[in-house]
Amino acid sequence: MSAKRIGVLTSGGDCPGLNAVIRGAAKTCWKLGYDCIGFLKGYEGLYDPVQYITLTPQNTTGILNEGGTILGSTNKGRFAATCGVSDRIEIKRELLEGVKCTVDQLGLEGLVCIGGDGSLAIAEQFHRFGIPVVGVPKTIDNDLSATAFTFGFYSAVDCATDALDRLHTTAASHERVFVLEVMGRHAGWIALHAGIAGGGDVILIPEISWTFEGVCRKILEREQQGKKFTLIVVAEGANLPEGGLVGEHRDGAQARLGGIGEIVAREIQRRLLREVRVVVLGHLQRGGAPTTFDRVLATQYGAHAVRLIHEGKLGEMICYQPPHMNSVPIREAVHRIREVDSNGAAVQAARALGISFGGGTEQASPFLVPAREMTIDDVEVSAEFTLEMAESATAEALAD
């Protein structure tokens, strides 16, 4: 093996595109003269016992379009660094020393850590301890603030959109209300994009307050228009009208969100006496092949992550800021959730189409400009303009 090596690992929940990053990083390593090794089972493979494989053209061929990760992953274990939405847990010093020993013994120039907010919080602690790392933003939730898109997001949106396409036909046939619950944790990106792409009628997300009355009003409004079915997309992390999240709250770990779709359905059924069905996509959004966009994005992330190590830019996370691949310190990327802008372009477009966000009073259209009341100044300007026009017309008539 050559003297120079770079390590790669995948951590946290899996998503489409992980193998594309691994492949992109490995192929870039070989071109630059590095050997590339992949650690198994996320951060757990770095210490006691150390578990890794050498990545070769043979074991990375054909993985570009495969879902999952050939290295394995985990979102729990000894290296967990996140509890709740933003609370951080310090990793034990003996683990950090063990990882540093592994990195030194293997002669790694750097370690590519592929993960979301929680996984990159671990990478940040590694960096502070002197372990050479760079980060790659991975999450279907698209909630990392420093990058325009995380890979895996559009594949999850594609899955949810396909579900809405299928639900549309059965909902219309049976004149039913369908509630589709999607992932996203504390950000509504998947629900928003899938709701728009899949023709949803109501979208409920964490960033916009909503009420059961607002949801029911939209259903009745559609019925008055002759549309006897309604598609509702709800993000798993949407807060209930009275406040609070739905899910399993666990001591010392992040809450396992889920179940809000069933609550929304029951309340609609109770209030309107309509037949309501619930579909929870769950981990279907994490599986399967990555979309074309995610393959391209993930490949770029893998290649440019190796570039950062080669250039000595350690402690940085690669980020997509169209049209460029830039980087930011990992610490800047993991301390703030990137939320949907409640008055952003996508939300405005959805409202303009008549999509409800479950509010008490939905706007007719965000693009309507309210008529401005005429002031005394307006009257004076109008009178002066009219007088000037009259004088001009008189002068032209006399000239003729």
Side-chain angles (χ1 to χ4, degrees):
M1 298 180 72
S2 67
K4 299 191 297 183
R5 294 181 185 172
I6 286 177
V8 179
L9 63 81
T10 54
S11 178
D14 68 310
C15 75
L18 283 167
N19 283 326
V21 180
I22 295 169
R23 173 181 174 272
K27 290 174 76 72
T28 305
C29 278
W30 304 330
K31 283 286 187 180
L32 290 172
Y34 295 94
D35 282 335
C36 189
I37 62 175
F39 290 93
L40 306 180
K41 299 180 181 179
Y43 290 105
E44 295 295 318
L46 287 168
Y47 176 66
D48 194 23
V50 177
Q51 302 177 75
Y52 68 89
I53 61 173
T54 300
L55 295 173
T56 67
Q58 288 71 38
N59 61 21
T60 55
T61 295
I63 67 172
L64 174 62
N65 62 339
E66 288 185 5
T69 164
I70 62 170
L71 299 177
S73 186
T74 182
N75 53 10
K76 54 190 175 184
R78 299 171 295 172
F79 290 89
T82 303
C83 174
V85 179
S86 58
D87 297 331
R88 304 300 183 194
I89 300 173
E90 290 296 318
I91 299 171
K92 293 180 180 178
R93 185 177 180 84
E94 67 176 86
L95 291 176
L96 294 172
E97 290 175 343
V99 171
K100 194 171 191 314
C101 181
T102 299
V103 169
D104 291 341
Q105 288 180 348
L106 290 174
L108 298 184
E109 301 284 324
L111 180 64
V112 178
C113 302
I114 309 167
D117 177 73
S119 297
L120 292 179
I122 299 171
E124 184 202 3
Q125 291 192 43
F126 280 13
H127 174 63
R128 285 193 275 116
F129 197 75
I131 300 169
V133 297
V134 298
V136 172
K138 176 268 333 171
T139 170
I140 65 171
D141 306 330
N142 201 42
D143 61 354
L144 286 173
S145 61
T147 186
F149 297 108
T150 57
F151 76 89
F153 167 63
Y154 271 114
S155 296
V157 170
D158 188 62
C159 175
T161 301
D162 179 66
L164 282 170
D165 289 343
R166 294 170 184 271
L167 291 177
H168 190 280
T169 57
T170 187
S173 298
H174 292 275
E175 298 184 347
R176 286 176 177 152
V177 175
F178 268 89
V179 177
L180 177 68
E181 181 180 313
V182 299
M183 285 182 164
R185 294 201 63 77
H186 304 286
W189 293 104
I190 295 176
L192 175 62
H193 282 243
I196 294 173
D201 306 301
V202 179
I203 300 174
L204 306 178
I205 59 177
E207 296 86 349
I208 299 178
S209 299
W210 58 278
T211 64
F212 289 114
E213 290 81 4
V215 175
C216 291
R217 185 180 298 111
K218 181 61 178 180
I219 296 171
L220 295 176
E221 175 191 302
R222 285 178 55 77
E223 291 182 355
Q224 291 171 0
Q225 296 170 350
K227 300 171 183 177
K228 304 299 183 182
F229 69 95
T230 299
L231 296 179
I232 301 170
V233 186
V234 56
E236 63 180 1
N239 291 292
L240 291 169
E242 63 272 21
L245 298 168
V246 179
E248 178 188 345
H249 298 273
R250 302 174 293 173
D251 292 336
Q254 294 196 55
R256 181 178 289 127
L257 301 178
I260 189 170
E262 191 64 46
I263 292 176
V264 171
R266 282 203 307 265
E267 192 63 21
I268 293 172
Q269 206 158 317
R270 184 185 72 82
R271 293 178 182 232
L272 299 182
L273 303 178
R274 302 293 192 276
E275 187 175 8
V276 186
R277 298 294 175 88
V278 183
V279 175
V280 180
L281 281 184
H283 286 77
L284 286 172
Q285 296 158 96
R286 293 191 178 278
T291 62
T292 302
F293 180 86
D294 275 340
R295 294 182 201 187
V296 174
L297 183 63
T299 299
Q300 291 185 74
Y301 277 152
H304 285 279
V306 171
R307 171 179 64 80
L308 291 182
I309 294 175
H310 186 65
E311 294 175 350
K313 296 179 179 178
L314 302 173
E316 300 268 305
M317 184 194 82
I318 198 72
C319 56
Y320 179 45
Q321 297 170 340
H324 304 293
M325 279 287 172
N326 298 321
S327 65
V328 297
I330 295 175
R331 67 177 181 276
E332 294 181 10
V334 299
H335 290 295
R336 183 166 61 88
I337 291 177
R338 179 172 176 263
E339 298 178 325
V340 172
D341 182 353
S342 60
N343 196 39
V347 172
Q348 285 189 348
R351 291 191 190 278
L353 296 176
I355 297 174
S356 170
F357 286 87
T361 55
E362 294 290 340
Q363 301 174 7
S365 171
F367 302 150
L368 283 175
V369 180
R372 188 168 63 89
E373 293 184 8
M374 186 171 286
T375 65
I376 294 297
D377 291 339
D378 293 327
V379 173
E380 291 177 352
V381 170
S382 178
E384 290 176 2
F385 179 74
T386 302
L387 180 60
E388 289 176 0
M389 290 294 292
E391 290 175 347
S392 176
T394 302
E396 288 181 5
L398 291 174
D400 292 341

